[in-house]
Amino acid sequence: MIRLGVNIDHVATLREARRIAEPDPSWAVVLAELGGADQITLHLREDRRHIRDEDLAKILRIASVPVNLEMAITEEMLRIATAARPHCATLVPEKRQEVTTEGGLAVAGQETAVGEAVAALNEAGISVGLFVDPDPEQLEASAACGAHAVELHTGTYCAAVGAAAVAVELGRLQSAAVRAAELGLAVHAGHGLNVRNVAPVARISQVEELNIGHALIGRAVFLGLQAAVAEMKEILKVEAARR
Ligand code: PXP
């Protein structure tokens, strides 16, 4: 079975569109769990454009599944994470102007800084994944940093147009999953996944966890969040059985 991490950031995006108290992303935690979420994922961004510090604290109190904090490697975020102690953290690059995370973390060439962040989080009992492009150089550097997992960036695969381009990007993800597992890294994947493109990724046998946000929250507008999560879980169950 593949774990499904439900990223609830965009419930907070909707709240921030009005800068009022609703909808509260913690409500999404309960419904995602009822739909079968194995993990709640949230990204506390430097600019606090969606999730706020108080959301993280509240969600850590109420979630009955593990909480995965996506975070940039900054002193502030390391201080917040080591104090809050989520179950796991995924280190991501962050640029203020971006609409969403663009590209994976450049681990290669930054092994010292990334390794120190991994060590500080591990020290606080937090297991650490690195969000990286499906590139062998990044995988090797991730293993060298002592990360527990890599989350393979599926955004380029999801954005590929035409069967040939999709096949090339899927091939990169498949090869990266094999290489990451050889390096002893747990393999996660995410970004841009939805009910139409998730199946081939879910069929990659090394993939243990997918983190999905925007498409689930978008679908929840029409189906409800519990149903949208349950629908995705069912797809993952079917595809994992076909591995
Ligand atoms: N994984 C990581 C590391 C991310 O930064 C994001 C976006 O916050 C996601 C997964 C989820 O991406 P999406 O919202 O496109 O499903």
Side-chain angles (χ1 to χ4, degrees), residues 187-201:
V187 184
H188 306 167
H191 209 282
L193 295 171
N194 61 38
V195 290
R196 286 177 297 283
N197 62 24
V198 75
V201 179

Side-chain angles (χ1 to χ4, degrees), residues 164-189:
V166 171
V168 168
E169 293 307 326
L170 184 61
R172 289 181 69 209
L173 290 169
Q174 287 162 334
S175 307
V178 171
R179 184 70 190 123
E182 280 170 4
L183 289 163
L185 294 158
V187 184
H188 306 167

Side-chain angles (χ1 to χ4, degrees), residues 25-226:
S26 68
W27 302 342
V29 171
V30 178
L31 291 167
E33 287 185 14
L34 284 169
D38 301 291
Q39 169 169 283
I40 299 297
T41 297
L42 71 174
H43 186 173
L44 185 66
R45 295 185 70 103
E46 186 191 5
D47 61 10
R48 306 300 197 274
R49 69 171 71 154
H50 39 53
I51 295 294
R52 299 191 204 143
D53 301 56
E54 52 272 31
D55 297 322
L56 172 64
K58 189 168 177 186
I59 287 168
L60 281 167
R61 273 200 312 278
I62 66 165
S64 51
V65 294
V67 173
N68 171 31
L69 176 65
E70 293 176 357
M71 54 178 275
I73 304 176
T74 63
E75 265 181 40
E76 182 199 25
M77 285 304 148
L78 286 168
R79 186 168 27 76
I80 290 171
T82 52
R85 293 177 185 249
H87 302 80
C88 47
T90 304
L91 303 182
V92 300
E94 204 176 288
K95 296 188 213 105
R96 264 180 194 240
Q97 303 310 321
E98 69 192 357
V99 175
T100 181
T101 316
E102 292 167 356
L105 191 63
V107 186
Q110 279 202 88
E111 285 89 344
T112 307
V114 178
E116 282 172 9
V118 171
L121 291 163
N122 285 344
E123 180 92 352
I126 305 163
S127 107
V128 183
L130 305 178
F131 182 56
V132 292
D133 290 330
D135 165 359
E137 197 192 1
Q138 300 301 341
L139 302 175
E140 275 144 38
S142 299
C145 289
H148 165 72
V150 278
E151 179 171 327
L152 300 176
H153 188 332
T154 51
T156 312
Y157 156 76
C158 295
V161 178
V166 171
V168 168
E169 293 307 326
L170 184 61
R172 289 181 69 209
L173 290 169
Q174 287 162 334
S175 307
V178 171
R179 184 70 190 123
E182 280 170 4
L183 289 163
L185 294 158
V187 184
H188 306 167
H191 209 282
L193 295 171
N194 61 38
V195 290
R196 286 177 297 283
N197 62 24
V198 75
V201 179
R203 244 177 277 146
I204 300 174
S205 57
Q206 293 82 8
V207 172
E208 298 175 19
E209 175 184 305
L210 296 178
N211 286 292
I212 308 181
H214 188 270
L216 282 175
I217 303 304
R219 211 156 166 87
V221 170
F222 303 101
L223 303 182
L225 185 57
Q226 184 178 336

